[in-house]
Amino acid sequence: MPEAADAIRTMRVRGAAAIACLGATTLGHHVAGLAGGLPAVHAGARRAAGILFATRPTAVSLRNGLGAVLAPVLAATDADAARAEAPVAANAFVAAVDASGQAIAEHGSSLLAAGGAVLTHCHSTTVIDVLRRAQARGADLHVYATETRPFRQGLVTVRALHDGGVPCTLIVDSAVSHVLETKAIRWVLVGADTVAADGTLFNKVGTAGVCALAQRRGVPVHSAAGFYKFTRQPPGAIPIEERAPSEVVPDSDVPPGVAVFNPVFDRTAPGLLTSYITEAGPRTPGEAVRQALGRLPASEALA
Ligand code: RI2
């Protein structure tokens, strides 16, 4: 369990879907190995879920993945049933995430069928699957991918697109306005870490600026977001993760006393989004939230 928590915290494993699945399977395995009676299993499960969730506090996908395992464990009436149920629930969550990605790729590739230039930000496996499937179905795409400072996930994006036969161009983050102006961008397509109850999107820092610039130019903005990334929480209840200044710049490059601020997500207002591409198809933010919350458990196990 500590190894998985460390892998998520240090971003050796990253991306909302990947960390949710690793969190769920790690918790499932951990609970299956807990000794003792029901109180000990419940306490151990809660403790481990708390440790795992603290690794990436903005990501509701992780919270929902852990909750999917924790809920049946806490509902179990004997320790053996709790131990048995945990890995089963984890596997079911991973299968649901996989099915979600497949369905979104299907709907998203239909949306992009006409082809053209797409701008994306950061690295989202969900977005990559949409783009690769659209290209494989004959859409003639060209993707502009931001480098995404400071972690440079854009390099992962262009490698994955290249491997999938999708023509692409890497740009620095500060080129977004110019690229929107000069490259006939037809769509902006980004991923999602969390969608709050009012439809606010939490995604990689920079997303809000990309979306605002796109809206000013009349370019539609879509976020590929499975229902497991939605939450009943209002946007103000969701913290924005801040990471070490050393991810931005070595300490020695900054004059003493100068601070470096490294927030890694930002909030995009629902009014800037054309749709969330969900398992059910592209939906306005309001409709996506209504559908997603109808599928979430009434109370979230991870309080
Ligand atoms: P998938 C990433 O966060 C990006 O913000 C990306 O849009 C999001 O996860 C969704 O990724 P980070 O872990 O679930 O790089 O679509 O901070 O793979």
Side-chain angles (χ1 to χ4, degrees):
M1 205 271 290
E3 302 78 39
D6 192 57
I8 298 171
R9 188 181 303 109
T10 57
M11 292 177 65
R12 289 200 305 282
V13 176
R14 46 144 296 280
I19 63 174
C21 291
L22 180 59
T25 51
T26 301
L27 183 61
H29 182 74
H30 180 77
V31 172
L34 286 172
L38 196 58
V41 172
H42 282 176
R46 278 189 194 280
R47 193 166 48 245
I51 290 168
L52 286 162
F53 181 57
T55 57
R56 300 294 310 271
T58 304
V60 154
S61 58
L62 175 59
R63 181 188 169 94
N64 285 344
L66 296 168
V69 176
L70 199 54
V73 168
L74 297 181
T77 50
D78 72 80
D80 285 338
R83 280 187 279 265
E85 187 56 42
V88 173
N91 290 341
F93 178 78
V94 171
V97 169
D98 189 50
S100 159
Q102 294 293 329
I104 291 171
E106 199 60 28
H107 293 300
S109 60
S110 298
L111 191 71
L112 304 184
V118 181
L119 174 65
T120 190
H121 183 56
C122 198
H123 169 252
S124 154
T125 55
T126 323
V127 166
I128 298 289
D129 287 349
V130 167
L131 295 169
R132 287 172 62 146
R133 189 165 306 189
Q135 186 74 14
R137 286 172 147 194
D140 188 12
L141 298 177
H142 191 103
V143 179
Y144 291 84
T146 56
E147 178 191 21
T148 316
R149 284 274 293 144
F151 227 77
R152 306 184 81 201
Q153 289 97 326
L155 297 177
V156 185
T157 293
V158 292
R159 279 186 213 118
L161 292 174
H162 178 75
D163 290 351
V166 184
C168 57
T169 299
L170 185 70
I171 62 170
V172 294
D173 301 335
S174 40
V176 165
S177 179
H178 181 69
V179 167
L180 281 165
E181 184 186 333
T182 58
K183 299 296 182 186
I185 301 295
R186 206 161 169 185
W187 298 283
V188 167
L189 178 58
V190 295
D193 289 88
T194 290
V195 182
D198 70 341
T200 296
L201 168 66
F202 288 68
N203 195 51
K204 182 55 52 191
V205 69
T207 301
V210 170
C211 296
L213 288 167
Q215 191 187 53
R216 281 187 60 175
R217 295 200 162 271
V219 175
V221 177
H222 301 275
S223 166
F227 289 134
Y228 66 94
K229 295 178 175 177
F230 287 68
T231 176
R232 295 180 199 288
Q233 293 180 294
I238 299 161
I240 296 284
E241 178 187 352
E242 291 172 26
R243 296 182 64 86
S246 58
E247 288 185 355
V248 176
V249 62
D251 290 348
S252 56
D253 285 7
V254 184
V258 173
V260 176
F261 177 43
N262 184 21
V264 298
F265 297 107
D266 63 19
R267 302 181 179 93
T268 299
L272 293 177
L273 299 170
T274 309
S275 91
Y276 284 109
I277 308 175
T278 71
E279 295 88 328
R283 296 287 184 266
T284 62
E287 185 53 30
V289 166
R290 265 189 297 282
Q291 290 198 354
L293 297 193
R295 297 176 186 218
L296 279 181
S299 66
E300 295 174 38
L302 211 69

